[in-house]
Amino acid sequence: METLCKVCGKLLRTSGNTSNLMGHLKKLHKLPSPSETNLKSPNKKEKAMSSYCTPGIRIQNNIDDPEPQTQETANSSNALPSDVSTYTQSPSGKIEDITITTDIWSEMMSTKSYIGVTIHFIHSTKLCSAALGIFELSKSHSANYIAYELLNILNLWDIPKSKILAVVTDNDSTMLKAIKENFGENKHLRCFSHSINLVAEGSMKKVDGLLDLISKVRNIVKFIKRSVNCSDELRKLQEKDGDNVKKCILDVVTRWNSVYYMCKRFLELKEVVNQIVLKHINAPPMLNGQEIENIKQAVKILEILEKVTSEISGQKYATMSLVIPIISCINDNLSTMLPTSRIGVEFKNAITDEMKKRFEFIEKNYLLSVSTILDPRFKNIHFKDALALSKHLRFINSSINSLSSTVEDHLSTDSSDSAAEYGTTDLWGHHKNLARKSIKTYVDKTNLGNQKHLGSEITMYLSTPVSQLKTDPLITWEELKPMYPLIHKLATKYLSGVSTSVPSERLFSCASNTISKTRNRLCGKSASKLIFLNNLDDQFWLLSE
């Protein structure tokens, strides 16, 4: 009898047990055996804790909204890495720092579940994304099993754990445990978009009467969308007034922002909707003036969170450095809002409380804080916790010191500023040399107060104005590289990350199209290959060694 190793494809002899396979995995692939990772057969409790998610609907039996971090847990889970000297340049020049996002999805036709993984890294001053694929899960989704499969996937792609900068997941408690125990809490990021979703949902539930008001809007929208006559009347009334024809939007229960879109469109069409509702006896009652005002103020508040979700969910630009500034901007926007109705005031206060509850200690997170400081657009201007900021600056300073020798050697042979590579004279070569020399001169002549304990590069960097918000931080750092060669190395590491698990959720949207009714017998391995190729960036199709 023979069995197939899923890692390398080699056929192994077996006597009906897994001894030979386990020995092969440990010796050749350096993978821990299930016994070493405490992997055991799922019991009833583990089965009850299983979680599934679909592209549009999440079905979760476990707690998907764990308690927010306290001061104590924030200090322990977001501790700075103890060894800052491990980050050195790879001699091969390959990808050094990778952020991965992962999520679990259940395919409804075959009732199979998959884990999806995407990676994010910097290539030629651009943040690139790729899908490693979706991989079928065959057992109950315990933390040990998820971690074991995730490590197998990384091993399959020859990605060592040491290259993982961050792992981004949703707030599912099983996933949190799996990442914490195998990658460490300081490498785990909870999906910021998912946390904003919980802020919106939790706030709407706290305001007495708001959900009932939204339900009234929903009933009117359902009535119009389900009636062909009402839909025709809606279109004709808009055409009569010379307006662009718009349709009513019905919300999706699991998506808070769809509530925002539904209510916003209702307000845009309230005049013509009112005419339609008055003509039909069986139509739901129209909202009165005060109720419309309440909806208007709620929409105005939700608009802030909707813009945040759109801004933070990108995967072609750095978003890890956006989190702390965005939270600062949300709080500032909320503080300047002056709603007049009871529901508006209570809703604003509820969101303010939820934001504090979930993000009070966000500046203690070293991944988010260091990436923000190293983003030329933000630096340290949004920080309110002076102790946390000082701690992160010391970490950056220590990291720069550990990089000093390797980066100096690299700069001496750096081909990016070499005329030989292009076969032409470098017009700005003298300027680059002067820029390097100007650092020490500038710092020596400037009184920089409390930043004197920091190195010259970080001191100089923090003392200059921030870049414009519309600039690309990676391109900006390429321009700043001659002046700050050490910080440049560190910045390109921490600006390679994303802050949401949205890319892995988009992966499952692709998977639902790949594993369709006409291809429902597609095996997991083939589906994973098709999804990988479908999500591969165009530039990588033409890459050569």
Side-chain angles (χ1 to χ4, degrees):
M1 184 182 297
E2 293 181 334
T3 185
L4 179 69
C5 173
K6 291 185 177 181
V7 179
C8 64
K10 183 177 180 180
L11 288 174
L12 304 170
R13 290 188 178 183
T14 176
S15 301
N17 54 43
T18 59
S19 300
N20 288 346
L21 180 58
M22 289 300 103
H24 170 78
L25 291 174
K26 290 177 65 177
K27 182 177 179 180
L28 223 61
H29 303 298
K30 310 298 182 184
L31 291 178
S33 64
S35 60
E36 291 173 336
T37 57
N38 296 321
L39 186 62
K40 57 183 183 296
S41 300
N43 52 35
K44 292 182 179 179
K45 183 178 180 180
E46 286 175 327
K47 290 180 179 179
M49 294 292 288
S50 298
S51 64
Y52 301 85
C53 68
T54 65
I57 302 176
R58 295 178 182 273
I59 306 172
Q60 297 181 339
N61 296 323
N62 58 339
I63 299 175
D64 194 30
D65 184 14
E67 286 297 315
Q69 290 182 321
T70 62
Q71 175 76 46
E72 182 179 354
T73 57
N75 289 336
S76 62
S77 65
N78 298 312
L80 297 176
S82 57
D83 183 10
V84 297
S85 64
T86 55
Y87 180 67
T88 57
Q89 184 176 1
S90 170
S92 63
K94 293 183 179 179
I95 298 167
E96 296 179 16
D97 302 290
I98 297 170
T99 298
I100 66 173
T101 75
T102 183
D103 206 345
I104 296 175
W105 169 67
S106 180
E107 197 279 305
M108 303 308 295
M109 286 182 293
S110 61
T111 65
K112 293 180 180 178
S113 56
Y114 299 86
I115 184 170
V117 182
T118 68
I119 63 170
H120 308 268
F121 55 92
I122 292 176
H123 176 76
S124 300
T125 70
K126 291 184 179 180
L127 184 63
C128 301
S129 302
L132 297 187
I134 61 170
F135 303 85
E136 187 175 339
L137 299 176
S138 57
K139 296 182 180 180
S140 179
H141 305 168
S142 66
N144 285 336
Y145 178 59
I146 291 173
Y148 184 74
E149 286 296 323
L150 191 55
L151 291 175
N152 279 345
I153 293 167
L154 295 179
N155 183 74
L156 178 65
W157 286 91
D158 195 23
I159 300 175
K161 286 173 61 175
S162 60
K163 287 192 175 184
I164 302 299
L165 173 67
V167 182
V168 188
T169 72
D170 60 17
N171 287 346
D172 174 67
S173 56
T174 305
M175 189 69 79
L176 295 178
K177 183 179 178 182
I179 303 305
K180 172 185 174 181
E181 294 181 353
N182 289 273
F183 293 89
E185 282 187 309
N186 64 343
K187 286 192 174 183
H188 179 251
L189 281 181
R190 298 183 183 187
C191 173
F192 183 62
S193 180
H194 190 249
S195 296
I196 290 294
N197 180 70
L198 295 175
V199 167
E201 289 181 347
S203 300
M204 285 189 283
K205 291 176 182 177
K206 287 183 178 179
V207 181
D208 184 36
L210 180 55
L211 292 181
D212 291 337
L213 197 55
I214 292 172
S215 182
K216 285 186 177 182
V217 174
R218 184 182 298 115
N219 290 335
I220 294 173
V221 172
K222 282 182 179 179
F223 175 78
I224 293 176
K225 290 185 73 68
R226 290 174 179 175
S227 170
V228 176
N229 292 333
C230 290
S231 297
D232 287 341
E233 289 177 27
L234 180 67
R235 175 178 52 80
K236 290 176 181 177
L237 286 171
Q238 292 180 78
E239 291 175 346
K240 181 180 178 181
D241 294 336
D243 300 329
N244 294 328
V245 176
K246 300 177 181 177
K247 296 180 179 179
C248 290
I249 298 174
L250 185 62
D251 66 324
V252 179
V253 177
T254 56
R255 302 285 181 177
W256 76 265
N257 51 355
S258 65
V259 174
Y260 164 77
Y261 295 130
M262 178 182 71
C263 293
K264 183 182 179 183
R265 180 59 57 84
F266 174 81
L267 291 174
E268 293 171 355
L269 300 175
K270 63 181 184 298
E271 302 296 338
V272 290
V273 166
N274 183 52
Q275 296 180 48
I276 295 172
V277 169
L278 291 176
K279 289 176 59 177
H280 297 269
I281 299 176
N282 58 338
M286 183 61 180
L287 276 64
N288 59 39
Q290 183 58 56
E291 289 174 330
I292 289 177
E293 181 61 28
N294 288 336
I295 286 291
K296 187 180 298 184
Q297 294 188 21
V299 165
K300 187 66 176 176
I301 295 171
L302 283 175
E303 184 179 14
I304 302 172
L305 301 186
E306 191 278 331
K307 287 185 177 180
V308 167
T309 303
S310 299
E311 182 76 18
I312 207 72
S313 298
Q315 62 187 67
K316 295 296 185 181
Y317 52 89
T319 60
M320 193 180 290
S321 60
L322 295 178
V323 174
I324 291 176
I326 276 182
I327 291 173
S328 175
C329 292
I330 292 174
N331 292 330
D332 180 72
N333 274 275
L334 289 172
S335 66
T336 58
M337 282 190 167
L338 299 173
T340 55
S341 66
R342 177 192 63 82
I343 285 182
V345 172
E346 290 184 6
F347 191 36
K348 170 195 168 180
N349 293 337
I351 288 185
T352 302
D353 292 342
E354 283 290 320
M355 289 292 297
K356 183 177 180 181
K357 172 184 172 183
R358 297 188 180 279
F359 305 119
E360 183 176 6
F361 305 111
I362 198 70
E363 291 181 18
K364 296 184 182 297
N365 186 298
Y366 105 93
L367 282 172
L368 299 177
S369 296
V370 172
S371 62
T372 301
I373 294 170
L374 296 176
D375 192 321
R377 300 171 298 173
F378 307 119
K379 299 186 180 180
N380 58 353
I381 63 175
H382 286 283
F383 283 81
K384 297 176 177 59
D385 188 336
L387 291 177
L389 175 60
S390 178
K391 182 179 180 181
H392 299 312
L393 287 175
R394 288 197 301 270
F395 168 73
I396 293 173
N397 196 54
S398 299
S399 301
I400 289 174
N401 291 337
S402 69
L403 288 171
S404 180
S405 59
T406 58
V407 174
E408 285 176 359
D409 293 341
H410 174 63
L411 285 174
S412 64
T413 58
D414 188 4
S415 61
S416 63
D417 290 340
S418 172
E421 180 182 355
Y422 303 97
T424 58
T425 302
D426 185 1
L427 176 64
W428 294 100
H430 178 61
H431 166 77
K432 294 169 185 174
N433 291 330
L434 290 177
R436 293 192 189 100
K437 293 177 182 178
S438 68
I439 299 173
K440 188 176 185 304
T441 303
Y442 184 91
V443 173
D444 288 345
K445 293 182 178 180
T446 307
N447 180 14
L448 295 170
N450 294 330
Q451 296 176 4
K452 284 184 177 180
H453 66 284
L454 300 176
S456 59
E457 277 201 21
I458 187 66
T459 305
M460 176 71 170
Y461 167 71
L462 292 176
S463 67
T464 55
V466 296
S467 303
Q468 293 185 5
L469 189 60
K470 63 182 180 180
T471 59
D472 185 329
L474 296 177
I475 294 177
T476 301
W477 266 116
E478 198 62 23
E479 297 170 353
L480 294 175
K481 182 178 179 180
M483 182 169 287
Y484 310 112
L486 300 177
I487 310 180
H488 169 269
K489 184 66 176 174
L490 202 63
T492 52
K493 172 181 181 177
Y494 286 96
L495 291 176
S496 64
V498 294
S499 60
T500 74
S501 59
V502 172
S504 55
E505 294 181 5
R506 289 175 178 149
L507 185 64
F508 291 133
S509 296
C510 176
S512 64
N513 294 328
T514 303
I515 308 174
S516 60
K517 289 182 179 181
T518 57
R519 305 173 79 181
N520 57 11
R521 298 182 66 182
L522 194 66
C523 69
K525 184 179 291 188
S526 298
S528 183
K529 291 178 180 178
L530 290 172
I531 290 168
F532 164 76
L533 294 173
N534 185 67
N535 285 270
L536 193 63
D537 197 289
D538 292 344
Q539 62 177 311
F540 294 111
W541 284 96
L542 302 176
L543 281 182
S544 58
E545 291 293 334

Short mmCIF file of all heavy atoms in Angstrom, two decimals, residues 428-467:
data_model
loop_
_atom_site.label_atom_id
_atom_site.label_comp_id
_atom_site.label_asym_id
_atom_site.label_seq_id
_atom_site.Cartn_x
_atom_site.Cartn_y
_atom_site.Cartn_z
N TRP A 428 22.58 63.51 -10.78
CA TRP A 428 22.30 63.91 -9.41
C TRP A 428 23.19 63.20 -8.40
O TRP A 428 22.92 63.23 -7.21
CB TRP A 428 20.84 63.64 -9.08
CG TRP A 428 19.91 64.51 -9.88
CD1 TRP A 428 19.21 64.14 -10.99
CD2 TRP A 428 19.59 65.87 -9.64
NE1 TRP A 428 18.48 65.19 -11.47
CE2 TRP A 428 18.69 66.27 -10.65
CE3 TRP A 428 19.99 66.81 -8.68
CZ2 TRP A 428 18.17 67.56 -10.72
CZ3 TRP A 428 19.47 68.09 -8.75
CH2 TRP A 428 18.57 68.46 -9.76
N GLY A 429 24.25 62.55 -8.85
CA GLY A 429 25.14 61.83 -7.93
C GLY A 429 25.75 62.73 -6.87
O GLY A 429 25.80 62.37 -5.69
N HIS A 430 26.21 63.91 -7.28
CA HIS A 430 26.81 64.84 -6.32
C HIS A 430 25.79 65.29 -5.28
O HIS A 430 26.10 65.41 -4.09
CB HIS A 430 27.38 66.05 -7.07
CG HIS A 430 27.97 67.10 -6.18
ND1 HIS A 430 29.04 66.85 -5.34
CD2 HIS A 430 27.62 68.41 -5.98
CE1 HIS A 430 29.34 67.94 -4.67
NE2 HIS A 430 28.50 68.90 -5.04
N HIS A 431 24.59 65.55 -5.75
CA HIS A 431 23.51 65.97 -4.84
C HIS A 431 23.25 64.89 -3.79
O HIS A 431 23.07 65.20 -2.62
CB HIS A 431 22.23 66.25 -5.65
CG HIS A 431 21.01 66.36 -4.79
ND1 HIS A 431 20.72 67.48 -4.05
CD2 HIS A 431 20.01 65.47 -4.54
CE1 HIS A 431 19.58 67.29 -3.39
NE2 HIS A 431 19.15 66.07 -3.67
N LYS A 432 23.26 63.62 -4.22
CA LYS A 432 23.00 62.53 -3.28
C LYS A 432 24.09 62.45 -2.23
O LYS A 432 23.81 62.20 -1.04
CB LYS A 432 22.88 61.21 -4.06
CG LYS A 432 21.66 61.17 -4.98
CD LYS A 432 21.71 59.98 -5.91
CE LYS A 432 20.54 60.02 -6.90
NZ LYS A 432 20.62 58.95 -7.91
N ASN A 433 25.33 62.64 -2.64
CA ASN A 433 26.43 62.62 -1.67
C ASN A 433 26.33 63.77 -0.69
O ASN A 433 26.54 63.61 0.52
CB ASN A 433 27.77 62.68 -2.40
CG ASN A 433 28.07 61.40 -3.17
OD1 ASN A 433 27.63 60.32 -2.77
ND2 ASN A 433 28.79 61.52 -4.26
N LEU A 434 25.98 64.95 -1.20
CA LEU A 434 25.82 66.11 -0.32
C LEU A 434 24.66 65.92 0.65
O LEU A 434 24.72 66.35 1.80
CB LEU A 434 25.61 67.37 -1.16
CG LEU A 434 26.81 67.88 -1.96
CD1 LEU A 434 26.39 69.09 -2.79
CD2 LEU A 434 27.97 68.23 -1.04
N ALA A 435 23.60 65.26 0.16
CA ALA A 435 22.43 65.02 1.01
C ALA A 435 22.79 64.14 2.19
O ALA A 435 22.35 64.36 3.32
CB ALA A 435 21.31 64.39 0.19
N ARG A 436 23.63 63.09 1.92
CA ARG A 436 24.06 62.21 3.00
C ARG A 436 24.89 62.98 4.03
O ARG A 436 24.72 62.81 5.23
CB ARG A 436 24.88 61.05 2.44
CG ARG A 436 24.09 60.08 1.57
CD ARG A 436 24.90 58.82 1.31
NE ARG A 436 24.24 57.98 0.32
CZ ARG A 436 24.58 57.92 -0.96
NH1 ARG A 436 25.58 58.65 -1.40
NH2 ARG A 436 23.94 57.14 -1.79
N LYS A 437 25.80 63.82 3.55
CA LYS A 437 26.68 64.56 4.46
C LYS A 437 25.93 65.63 5.24
O LYS A 437 26.34 66.02 6.33
CB LYS A 437 27.81 65.23 3.66
CG LYS A 437 28.77 64.24 3.02
CD LYS A 437 29.83 64.98 2.19
CE LYS A 437 30.77 63.99 1.51
NZ LYS A 437 31.78 64.68 0.67
N SER A 438 24.82 66.09 4.68
CA SER A 438 24.09 67.19 5.32
C SER A 438 23.38 66.76 6.59
O SER A 438 23.02 67.59 7.41
CB SER A 438 23.07 67.78 4.34
OG SER A 438 22.03 66.86 4.10
N ILE A 439 23.17 65.46 6.76
CA ILE A 439 22.41 64.97 7.92
C ILE A 439 23.10 65.37 9.22
O ILE A 439 22.52 66.00 10.10
CB ILE A 439 22.24 63.44 7.86
CG1 ILE A 439 21.47 63.05 6.60
CG2 ILE A 439 21.52 62.95 9.09
CD1 ILE A 439 21.41 61.56 6.39
N LYS A 440 24.40 64.98 9.34
CA LYS A 440 25.13 65.24 10.57
C LYS A 440 25.27 66.74 10.82
O LYS A 440 25.09 67.22 11.94
CB LYS A 440 26.51 64.59 10.53
CG LYS A 440 27.27 64.66 11.85
CD LYS A 440 28.58 63.90 11.75
CE LYS A 440 29.26 63.87 13.11
NZ LYS A 440 29.49 65.19 13.69
N THR A 441 25.55 67.49 9.76
CA THR A 441 25.70 68.94 9.90
C THR A 441 24.42 69.57 10.41
O THR A 441 24.43 70.41 11.32
CB THR A 441 26.07 69.56 8.55
OG1 THR A 441 27.26 68.95 8.05
CG2 THR A 441 26.28 71.06 8.68
N TYR A 442 23.28 69.15 9.86
CA TYR A 442 21.99 69.71 10.25
C TYR A 442 21.66 69.38 11.70
O TYR A 442 21.24 70.25 12.47
CB TYR A 442 20.88 69.16 9.34
CG TYR A 442 19.52 69.75 9.62
CD1 TYR A 442 19.08 70.89 8.96
CD2 TYR A 442 18.68 69.18 10.56
CE1 TYR A 442 17.84 71.44 9.22
CE2 TYR A 442 17.43 69.71 10.83
CZ TYR A 442 17.02 70.84 10.16
OH TYR A 442 15.80 71.38 10.42
N VAL A 443 21.88 68.13 12.08
CA VAL A 443 21.55 67.70 13.44
C VAL A 443 22.44 68.39 14.46
O VAL A 443 22.01 68.80 15.53
CB VAL A 443 21.66 66.16 13.56
CG1 VAL A 443 21.48 65.73 15.01
CG2 VAL A 443 20.60 65.51 12.69
N ASP A 444 23.74 68.53 14.14
CA ASP A 444 24.68 69.16 15.07
C ASP A 444 24.31 70.61 15.35
O ASP A 444 24.59 71.13 16.43
CB ASP A 444 26.11 69.09 14.50
CG ASP A 444 26.66 67.68 14.55
OD1 ASP A 444 26.08 66.84 15.27
OD2 ASP A 444 27.66 67.43 13.88
N LYS A 445 23.71 71.28 14.38
CA LYS A 445 23.40 72.70 14.52
C LYS A 445 21.99 72.97 15.02
O LYS A 445 21.59 74.12 15.18
CB LYS A 445 23.59 73.41 13.17
CG LYS A 445 25.05 73.44 12.70
CD LYS A 445 25.15 74.19 11.39
CE LYS A 445 26.60 74.29 10.93
NZ LYS A 445 26.74 75.01 9.65
N THR A 446 21.21 71.90 15.23
CA THR A 446 19.81 72.08 15.59
C THR A 446 19.53 71.55 16.99
O THR A 446 19.96 70.45 17.33
CB THR A 446 18.89 71.35 14.57
OG1 THR A 446 19.25 71.79 13.27
CG2 THR A 446 17.43 71.68 14.83
N ASN A 447 18.80 72.31 17.78
CA ASN A 447 18.40 71.85 19.10
C ASN A 447 17.09 71.07 18.96
O ASN A 447 16.05 71.63 18.67
CB ASN A 447 18.20 73.04 20.04
CG ASN A 447 17.78 72.60 21.44
OD1 ASN A 447 17.89 71.42 21.76
ND2 ASN A 447 17.33 73.55 22.25
N LEU A 448 17.18 69.76 19.17
CA LEU A 448 16.01 68.91 18.94
C LEU A 448 15.42 68.37 20.23
O LEU A 448 14.71 67.38 20.24
CB LEU A 448 16.40 67.76 18.00
CG LEU A 448 16.80 68.25 16.60
CD1 LEU A 448 17.40 67.11 15.81
CD2 LEU A 448 15.61 68.83 15.87
N GLY A 449 15.73 68.96 21.35
CA GLY A 449 15.07 68.68 22.63
C GLY A 449 15.10 67.23 23.04
O GLY A 449 16.15 66.61 23.14
N ASN A 450 13.89 66.68 23.27
CA ASN A 450 13.76 65.34 23.82
C ASN A 450 14.20 64.24 22.86
O ASN A 450 14.27 63.08 23.24
CB ASN A 450 12.30 65.08 24.24
CG ASN A 450 11.89 65.97 25.38
OD1 ASN A 450 12.72 66.35 26.20
ND2 ASN A 450 10.60 66.30 25.43
N GLN A 451 14.48 64.57 21.60
CA GLN A 451 14.86 63.55 20.64
C GLN A 451 16.37 63.40 20.53
O GLN A 451 16.87 62.71 19.65
CB GLN A 451 14.29 63.91 19.26
CG GLN A 451 12.76 63.90 19.23
CD GLN A 451 12.21 64.33 17.90
OE1 GLN A 451 12.95 64.57 16.96
NE2 GLN A 451 10.90 64.45 17.81
N LYS A 452 17.11 64.03 21.45
CA LYS A 452 18.57 63.96 21.39
C LYS A 452 19.10 62.55 21.59
O LYS A 452 20.18 62.20 21.14
CB LYS A 452 19.18 64.90 22.44
CG LYS A 452 19.13 66.38 22.06
CD LYS A 452 19.82 67.22 23.11
CE LYS A 452 19.84 68.68 22.70
NZ LYS A 452 20.52 69.53 23.71
N HIS A 453 18.32 61.73 22.34
CA HIS A 453 18.78 60.37 22.62
C HIS A 453 18.66 59.47 21.39
O HIS A 453 19.18 58.35 21.39
CB HIS A 453 17.97 59.76 23.76
CG HIS A 453 16.52 59.54 23.42
ND1 HIS A 453 15.61 60.58 23.36
CD2 HIS A 453 15.84 58.42 23.09
CE1 HIS A 453 14.42 60.10 23.04
NE2 HIS A 453 14.53 58.79 22.85
N LEU A 454 17.97 59.92 20.35
CA LEU A 454 17.80 59.11 19.15
C LEU A 454 18.96 59.35 18.18
O LEU A 454 19.69 60.32 18.28
CB LEU A 454 16.48 59.46 18.46
CG LEU A 454 15.21 59.24 19.30
CD1 LEU A 454 13.99 59.73 18.53
CD2 LEU A 454 15.05 57.77 19.69
N GLY A 455 19.10 58.45 17.22
CA GLY A 455 20.14 58.58 16.22
C GLY A 455 19.89 59.77 15.30
O GLY A 455 18.80 60.34 15.25
N SER A 456 20.91 60.12 14.52
CA SER A 456 20.82 61.30 13.67
C SER A 456 19.76 61.16 12.59
O SER A 456 19.04 62.11 12.29
CB SER A 456 22.18 61.58 13.02
OG SER A 456 22.60 60.48 12.23
N GLU A 457 19.63 59.96 12.02
CA GLU A 457 18.66 59.79 10.92
C GLU A 457 17.23 59.96 11.41
O GLU A 457 16.44 60.69 10.82
CB GLU A 457 18.85 58.42 10.26
CG GLU A 457 19.92 58.38 9.22
CD GLU A 457 19.74 57.22 8.26
OE1 GLU A 457 18.62 56.69 8.15
OE2 GLU A 457 20.73 56.84 7.62
N ILE A 458 16.88 59.26 12.48
CA ILE A 458 15.49 59.32 12.95
C ILE A 458 15.17 60.71 13.49
O ILE A 458 14.06 61.22 13.34
CB ILE A 458 15.23 58.24 14.03
CG1 ILE A 458 13.76 58.19 14.41
CG2 ILE A 458 16.09 58.45 15.26
CD1 ILE A 458 12.84 57.74 13.31
N THR A 459 16.16 61.36 14.09
CA THR A 459 15.95 62.73 14.58
C THR A 459 15.69 63.68 13.43
O THR A 459 14.76 64.51 13.48
CB THR A 459 17.19 63.19 15.38
OG1 THR A 459 17.46 62.25 16.41
CG2 THR A 459 16.95 64.56 16.00
N MET A 460 16.51 63.58 12.39
CA MET A 460 16.35 64.42 11.21
C MET A 460 15.01 64.14 10.52
O MET A 460 14.28 65.05 10.12
CB MET A 460 17.50 64.16 10.25
CG MET A 460 17.41 64.90 8.93
SD MET A 460 17.71 66.66 9.09
CE MET A 460 17.80 67.10 7.35
N TYR A 461 14.68 62.88 10.42
CA TYR A 461 13.45 62.47 9.75
C TYR A 461 12.23 63.05 10.45
O TYR A 461 11.31 63.59 9.81
CB TYR A 461 13.37 60.95 9.72
CG TYR A 461 12.04 60.38 9.34
CD1 TYR A 461 11.55 60.48 8.05
CD2 TYR A 461 11.24 59.73 10.29
CE1 TYR A 461 10.31 59.95 7.70
CE2 TYR A 461 10.02 59.19 9.97
CZ TYR A 461 9.55 59.31 8.67
OH TYR A 461 8.33 58.78 8.35
N LEU A 462 12.18 62.97 11.78
CA LEU A 462 11.03 63.46 12.53
C LEU A 462 10.95 64.98 12.56
O LEU A 462 9.88 65.55 12.79
CB LEU A 462 11.07 62.92 13.96
CG LEU A 462 10.87 61.41 14.11
CD1 LEU A 462 11.03 61.00 15.56
CD2 LEU A 462 9.49 60.99 13.61
N SER A 463 12.07 65.64 12.34
CA SER A 463 12.08 67.11 12.42
C SER A 463 11.63 67.78 11.13
O SER A 463 11.38 68.98 11.11
CB SER A 463 13.48 67.60 12.78
OG SER A 463 14.39 67.33 11.73
N THR A 464 11.50 67.03 10.07
CA THR A 464 11.06 67.60 8.79
C THR A 464 9.56 67.47 8.63
O THR A 464 8.94 66.59 9.24
CB THR A 464 11.76 66.89 7.61
OG1 THR A 464 11.53 65.48 7.71
CG2 THR A 464 13.26 67.15 7.66
N PRO A 465 8.93 68.31 7.82
CA PRO A 465 7.46 68.26 7.65
C PRO A 465 7.01 66.94 7.02
O PRO A 465 7.77 66.28 6.31
CB PRO A 465 7.18 69.43 6.72
CG PRO A 465 8.37 70.32 6.82
CD PRO A 465 9.53 69.42 7.08
N VAL A 466 5.77 66.58 7.29
CA VAL A 466 5.21 65.37 6.71
C VAL A 466 4.94 65.59 5.22
O VAL A 466 4.75 66.73 4.77
CB VAL A 466 3.90 64.95 7.42
CG1 VAL A 466 4.19 64.59 8.86
CG2 VAL A 466 2.86 66.05 7.34
N SER A 467 4.89 64.49 4.48
CA SER A 467 4.59 64.57 3.04
C SER A 467 3.10 64.81 2.84
O SER A 467 2.28 64.64 3.74
CB SER A 467 5.01 63.27 2.35
OG SER A 467 6.37 63.01 2.55
#
